[in-house]
Each structure stands twice: as structure tokens, then as C-alpha cells.
Amino acid sequence: MKTASGGSRGATARAASDRRAASKLASFLLGAGSEGSDIRQELRRLNLESLANRTTEEIFYALVDYICEPGGDLDEAYARAAYIDAICEIPDGMKGQLERPDAETINFILERFIANTVTKRIENAIGNDMISLPETGLSARELQRLFQDWVSGRVKDAMAAIGGVLRQDQVRSQIDMIYEEAHASFGNYDEKDDEE
């Protein structure tokens, strides 16, 4: 069996909308967390003043239309769903940092967003029989949890490879590197030949 992604490089290319969204999210968070700034000042800088009067949590949910490309195709849907999931996953103890995100908060949100986009794409490939999983005695729910944990681990590893600190002037290249590292983990599926 061969996956439709065409290898880890092909999968990364297909996830272009995910990478663009991750880059915009990283730039926004870094801008809001920079010295002398906060989320509302960053909104004004980006001409998104209409969001500035909302609560911080409402702002982050509303930013889905800025972070993710508009459109109704599957690629845009992956990114939008992954972004909303990432915001929902922010722990209560971290929500106080959203007004001016610190490094830990920025890394957490980006890590969850990237892991969610990779997971959703791989789950879709499994659901469409483009990737076959080995038979196990685990329930579907247990298998999904283990799979999500595994993807999250790969994303953590990829973020660690850049030192765990995103640089404003290198956001795009660093995001690309993280996606390439994460997708490379699936190379053993992607390089198989077609079988009838």
C-alpha cells in the first residue's frame, strides 16, 4: 500500500495551509508577548481593532478567521478544527497568561496546534485506508489516545530540535522544520510500493 501523501515531503507540502496558519499564530503570539506589548496592542497593529474589546478568551476563538485561511475545502477545515481544539486545550492555570503570552504559553499553544493538524491528517489517511495500522487488542478509543500521545511526542521532539524557542525572524523556517520532523515519523508508511 502507498499513502496518498507521497512521502513525508509530500505530506508536508499538502499541509501548506497548516504551516501558514502555524506561522501566523506564532507571529501573533510572539508579537503579543513581546516587551511593551500585549494581545490588544497586537490586534491594533494588525488592524483587528474590532476584536480588542472582547474578553481574552473570546479574542482567541475569534482569531480563527485571521489565523486560518478562509475556505470550505478539507485543508482549511483541518487547520480551523486544529486551532479551535488547541484553544480548548489550554489549561485553566495558563489562561491568565493569554493577555501577554510568555514562552511557556506560546510553546504550548503552538505545540497543540501543530500536533492537532498532524493528527487530523493522519487519522483521515487511516480512515480512508491510505495508512494501515497493525491489528491490536486495543479499543479504538485506546488506540486513538495512544496515537495522539505519540504524535504529540514527535512534535515536542521537533520543537526541542529548534531549542524550544521560536525566533520572530525565523518563524516560517522553524515551523517548516517542525512539520518536516513530525511528518518524517510516518516515512515507513509513505515509502511503500502500491500493492494490489
Side-chain angles (χ1 to χ4, degrees):
M1 180 185 74
K2 184 177 181 179
T3 69
S5 63
S8 59
R9 287 184 301 276
T12 302
R14 282 172 52 85
S17 60
D18 301 342
R19 291 184 289 127
R20 284 192 294 271
S23 294
K24 287 182 80 171
L25 177 57
S27 293
F28 177 82
L29 292 170
L30 288 167
S34 63
E35 186 69 31
S37 186
D38 61 26
I39 186 174
R40 295 170 206 286
Q41 290 185 39
E42 188 65 8
L43 289 172
R44 293 183 183 96
R45 189 184 71 79
L46 296 170
N47 296 318
L48 297 171
E49 297 94 340
S50 61
L51 301 181
N53 291 327
R54 302 187 185 187
T55 68
T56 304
E57 194 165 353
E58 288 172 344
I59 287 171
F60 271 91
Y61 281 111
L63 279 170
V64 66
D65 292 323
Y66 168 75
I67 300 298
C68 303
E69 297 173 3
D73 69 19
L74 203 53
D75 283 343
E76 280 79 25
Y78 284 136
R80 292 176 73 86
Y83 175 78
I84 294 298
D85 286 350
I87 300 307
C88 290
E89 291 164 4
I90 297 172
D92 289 340
M94 191 174 279
K95 290 180 179 178
Q97 298 298 321
L98 292 177
E99 190 72 25
R100 185 179 175 191
D102 57 12
E104 181 183 7
T105 303
I106 292 171
N107 281 355
F108 177 87
I109 295 172
L110 284 172
E111 176 191 305
R112 293 313 311 146
F113 174 76
I114 294 169
N116 289 343
T117 59
V118 174
T119 298
K120 288 180 187 304
R121 287 185 179 278
I122 301 303
E123 286 177 343
N124 181 67
I126 292 168
N128 287 300
D129 294 325
M130 292 183 286
I131 291 178
S132 298
L133 294 178
E135 293 293 331
T136 72
L138 297 173
S139 69
R141 185 179 297 275
E142 290 172 322
L143 191 59
Q144 182 184 38
R145 181 181 57 77
L146 288 172
F147 176 68
Q148 290 171 338
D149 289 347
W150 187 80
V151 170
S152 293
R154 302 294 71 74
V155 174
K156 284 179 186 290
D157 291 346
M159 290 195 73
I162 64 167
V165 179
L166 288 165
R167 288 181 47 185
Q168 184 75 54
D169 61 334
Q170 295 181 341
V171 164
R172 186 57 183 265
S173 63
Q174 289 176 319
I175 291 295
D176 286 351
M177 184 186 303
I178 292 169
Y179 272 102
E180 287 165 10
E181 290 281 341
H183 280 290
S185 303
F186 304 103
N188 60 320
Y189 293 109
D190 295 332
E191 302 303 328
K192 292 179 181 177
D193 294 326
D194 287 314
E195 293 178 358
E196 299 295 335

